[in-house]
Amino acid sequence: MSSARRLSLWAVLLLLNSGCRALHESSIKQRLTQMRFFSREVNKPLTEIDGFLMARRQDPARAWCELCLVSATTTADGARTYCLSSHEEEGCLVARGTPAGGTRFEQAPAGAHASAQVVRALWNAIDLSSAAELELNTEDQISALAAEEEERFTPRWSFILGAKTGVVVSYDPPTFTFGGQAGFRYWGSLFVVPGALLEVESMVQAGRNLVTLGAQGRVELTLWTDENGRYANLPRISFLMSGGPLVGFGQQAALGGRAVLGLHLLHLGRFLTPFFFELGFQALEVDEQASTGLRIAVGLGF
């Protein structure tokens, strides 16, 4: 590889790493309110907080409020679960009294967790002086928290499984493909997920049908969240790059190759949408008939 190509590759890798770090720091900024609020004790007894919140019951006639109580229940161990609304967002928290006479909050164990907006409104209402600390964050603090999370991250495995269809377009007759893929992912860090897979496809071109087998090495760029752990370590959304050899089986086997850029989407909002899109280039000639050109594919899978 020439020096210019090596420098270009390093520049691309540094740019991607910088983009991933910026995405991580943005994620921390969004979670920082919850992280700090749930890690401290509010210096007020649970009875006082309960009385304050019970007096702020939501008025159905109002479209929104700064902080309103939607519902309140008591758990078997005496803790209180509050579902609150702030503007158009709702979320639930659990409050427990402490031996020191204060109160600690935590996210509800399941369901609608309290968003940063809801937590910030509650924090401002019950402890404005400590909530003001949130405004004192510096970029250095955010960067330090990001580095700490990255160092604590534990690598983990996941899988790849899907079915897809595509088309290869060039000066030759178009080739239509139908097949599937299976392989593995490895979360080496919070951002980078290398993996490998095998693809088996049936290719149809000008009335001729043949089978191809491909091996792909791939890298996905994404960002780990706790939600990934609840879904078999599958990334919620990732940008993927892959490439590898491609073998076509006609009257004689022929060796080619394929390179791919793509997008993989596991969830759209709260809905499971295991969808992926690929755009790439393949080079393959089997029995003196070429299937070389731009390749577009869509699929369903994980």
Side-chain angles (χ1 to χ4, degrees):
M1 183 183 294
S2 68
S3 298
R5 289 184 178 180
R6 281 198 297 269
L7 287 174
S8 299
L9 179 59
W10 277 112
V12 170
L13 292 175
L14 288 173
L15 182 62
L16 292 174
N17 183 70
S18 176
C20 289
R21 167 51 76 89
L23 185 63
H24 186 199
E25 292 183 2
S26 176
S27 170
I28 287 179
K29 289 179 181 178
Q30 294 174 4
R31 293 182 283 117
L32 193 58
T33 302
Q34 294 102 314
M35 289 167 58
R36 290 190 168 175
F37 181 69
F38 294 130
S39 67
R40 68 179 62 206
E41 179 178 328
V42 178
N43 191 27
K44 291 182 180 179
L46 179 56
T47 53
E48 181 180 341
I49 290 176
D50 185 68
F52 172 78
L53 292 176
M54 294 299 290
R56 302 179 71 95
R57 286 190 175 276
Q58 190 173 39
D59 183 356
R62 297 186 63 182
W64 64 271
C65 62
E66 185 62 31
L67 178 67
C68 289
L69 178 69
V70 178
S71 65
T73 58
T74 303
T75 62
D77 60 357
R80 294 281 281 168
T81 300
Y82 300 105
C83 290
L84 307 169
S85 69
S86 178
H87 296 262
E88 296 181 353
E89 298 186 22
E90 293 187 6
C92 300
L93 310 91
V94 177
R96 303 179 188 276
T98 66
T103 303
R104 275 192 173 274
F105 286 87
E106 60 190 55
Q107 287 280 23
H113 285 183
S115 67
Q117 171 63 38
V118 172
V119 171
R120 186 179 291 108
L122 174 62
W123 198 355
N124 285 334
I126 63 176
D127 194 357
L128 181 60
S129 60
S130 66
E133 296 177 13
L134 183 66
E135 307 302 327
L136 303 178
N137 300 322
T138 67
E139 294 301 320
D140 288 342
Q141 288 176 316
I142 299 296
S143 181
L145 287 170
E148 182 181 344
E149 283 194 358
E150 291 161 20
E151 291 175 1
R152 290 202 316 263
F153 180 73
T154 302
R156 56 204 76 197
W157 295 88
S158 187
F159 65 91
I160 301 168
L161 186 65
K164 59 185 173 181
T165 182
V167 61
V168 180
V169 182
S170 67
Y171 294 110
D172 301 297
T175 303
F176 299 94
T177 67
F178 312 88
Q181 61 185 30
F184 68 87
R185 291 180 169 98
Y186 179 70
W187 287 81
S189 72
L190 281 169
F191 316 131
V192 182
V193 187
L197 59 84
L198 289 176
E199 298 177 304
V200 179
E201 292 183 337
S202 175
M203 297 178 59
V204 180
Q205 184 189 45
R208 183 184 67 156
N209 191 307
L210 57 91
V211 174
T212 64
L213 174 66
Q216 293 275 313
R218 61 189 257 164
V219 174
E220 293 176 87
L221 300 179
T222 182
L223 180 62
W224 171 267
T225 67
D226 292 338
E227 183 182 7
N228 298 130
R230 296 196 293 271
Y231 292 97
N233 300 331
L234 294 167
R236 177 169 184 155
I237 182 171
S238 65
F239 171 74
L240 64 92
M241 300 171 286
S242 67
L246 182 67
V247 180
F249 297 94
Q251 296 179 2
Q252 293 184 338
L255 179 64
R258 178 181 291 169
V260 172
L261 297 176
L263 184 70
H264 198 131
L265 181 65
L266 180 64
H267 275 88
L268 185 60
R270 296 183 180 180
F271 301 99
L272 185 66
T273 55
F275 164 85
F276 57 91
F277 170 80
E278 296 179 353
L279 177 66
F281 179 84
Q282 80 170 36
L284 182 65
E285 183 175 334
V286 183
D287 300 335
E288 298 183 352
Q289 187 165 343
S291 177
T292 297
L294 177 70
R295 178 177 177 273
I296 302 172
V298 294
L300 294 175
F302 301 96

